[in-house]
Amino acid sequence: MKHIERLFLIAVFTCFLSCSSVNAQDSGLIKLMVNDEVFDVQLENNSATEELIKILKKDNITINASDYGNFEKVGNLGFTLPTNDENIHTSPGDIVLYRGNQISLFYDSHSWSYTKIGKIQNIDSNKLNEALGPGNVKLVFSLK
């Protein structure tokens, strides 16, 4: 009987360890490096982010983004993701897909038809503006 109890405890412990380890796909979090600052991004649950995670499993994605309209930094992905466009009102920290092949990181508000990718966590607009700075910026997306 003791042998069966021991096997049961080992099985429960093993399941606990494997079930409690969280990766980027499970938590919906990825990492974004903007210049030297690193941020957590909470992903949306849609076909664009599913494909994005598949690509990030192979390698990081680097985007050279430039300022557009004094409210966002936008850059070309170099490939296309599926779109789920809807009219949305963005706020600072929102990351969206535009035309299937461009990523926009908002530091101010705007309304348009986008596919929402995610949102930077735990950042205020002042810190985001400071991290982005004026002009062009390099965005590096990776799995946590």
Side-chain angles (χ1 to χ4, degrees):
M1 187 66 165
K2 290 235 183 223
H3 181 67
I4 293 173
E5 289 174 355
R6 192 174 296 149
L7 287 174
F8 176 75
L9 287 175
I10 290 170
V12 168
F13 183 71
T14 303
C15 180
F16 172 77
L17 287 178
S18 66
C19 294
S20 64
S21 63
V22 176
N23 59 29
Q25 303 88 277
D26 295 334
S27 67
L29 287 175
I30 61 171
K31 184 170 67 168
L32 170 61
M33 185 170 14
V34 178
N35 296 324
D36 295 326
E37 299 271 344
V38 178
F39 304 103
D40 288 332
V41 175
Q42 180 67 52
L43 293 177
E44 293 290 308
N45 184 12
N46 59 40
S47 59
T49 59
E50 289 170 8
E51 288 301 313
L52 181 67
I53 288 171
K54 288 178 187 176
I55 293 166
L56 288 172
K57 284 181 180 180
K58 297 175 187 170
D59 201 2
N60 295 345
I61 298 170
T62 301
I63 299 169
N64 294 311
S66 57
D67 199 70
Y68 181 81
N70 295 317
F71 55 83
E72 69 181 315
K73 300 288 186 176
V74 63
N76 197 305
L77 274 170
F79 53 87
T80 302
L81 293 173
T83 59
N84 304 288
D85 289 348
E86 57 184 77
N87 288 324
I88 59 174
H89 183 77
T90 63
S91 60
D94 282 342
I95 300 169
V96 302
L97 179 65
Y98 177 66
R99 293 188 176 174
N101 65 354
Q102 296 176 48
I103 291 288
S104 293
L105 169 55
F106 287 87
Y107 58 87
D108 203 345
S109 300
H110 186 64
S111 294
W112 199 259
S113 183
Y114 301 111
T115 298
K116 186 139 183 210
I117 296 294
K119 184 162 187 86
I120 295 177
Q121 299 297 287
N122 303 318
I123 189 167
D124 63 37
S125 59
N126 290 334
K127 185 173 179 182
L128 183 58
N129 281 331
E130 184 180 309
L132 291 172
N136 297 346
V137 65
K138 182 167 78 169
L139 308 174
V140 180
F141 292 89
S142 63
L143 294 179
K144 286 194 71 85

